[in-house]
Amino acid sequence: MGKQKKSIFALIGIAIICTIAISAIIAELTNDDILSVNTITQSTILENNATYLVTITNIGNETDTFILTAINMDNASVASLNQSEIALDAGHSGMVVLNVTDELITGPYCVLVNATSQTTGLTQEVETITAIVEDWEE
């Protein structure tokens, strides 16, 4: 088996293990969560974004602004949110987009998204893991 095939299988295996572990953590979350993501793991090829939809929910009783940051744990070339803050009325939700990729190096990349309420100071993070491979098998 070629070196490229082995690295693809290794990355997919890492993504599966992380998905199982993170799913167990998510099962313990309560309705007090202000932050969620549409999927925790994705795969993509070099120079192509994995796109995550991050939902922020204002669980408070008044309009609030949330400051958003992407924490690039593994130094991916791209780990960016389409906006750095979002204002939400009480009980409402909004979405932002997180793009993750690397231009040169394959591997798993962990990016945390943090949201901090400017009214209550409540802060929460969600984790994403992007498996970046050189090219898809044909």
Side-chain angles (χ1 to χ4, degrees):
M1 186 181 304
K3 186 176 182 180
Q4 182 179 1
K5 285 183 181 179
K6 287 181 182 177
S7 65
I8 289 170
F9 289 132
L11 288 172
I12 291 170
I14 290 168
I16 290 169
I17 290 169
C18 291
T19 300
I20 293 168
I22 292 170
S23 295
I25 293 168
I26 288 175
E28 296 180 24
L29 297 178
T30 68
N31 290 336
D32 292 339
D33 292 332
I34 62 170
L35 202 55
S36 62
V37 64
N38 66 320
T39 185
I40 295 167
T41 60
Q42 288 190 48
S43 298
T44 189
I45 59 174
L46 289 169
E47 299 181 6
N48 286 285
N49 284 326
T51 300
Y52 298 87
L53 299 176
V54 181
T55 302
I56 303 92
T57 302
N58 181 354
I59 61 171
N61 297 323
E62 59 185 286
T63 298
D64 199 351
T65 298
F66 296 86
I67 304 300
L68 307 167
T69 54
I71 303 163
N72 190 355
M73 303 295 290
D74 296 314
N75 297 316
S77 297
V78 175
S80 63
L81 293 164
N82 68 330
Q83 59 193 79
S84 60
E85 65 180 56
I86 188 169
L88 298 167
D89 289 333
H92 289 150
S93 298
M95 276 196 219
V96 298
V97 175
L98 169 68
N99 285 310
V100 179
T101 193
D102 198 84
E103 297 172 357
L104 300 172
I105 302 171
T106 61
Y109 288 88
C110 176
V111 176
L112 303 175
V113 176
N114 178 284
T116 302
S117 162
Q118 297 306 286
T119 301
T120 66
L122 178 66
T123 187
Q124 226 172 49
E125 287 180 351
V126 292
E127 180 180 39
T128 64
I129 300 170
T130 306
I132 300 176
V133 297
E134 197 168 323
D135 205 352
W136 299 121
E137 296 263 337
E138 294 186 25

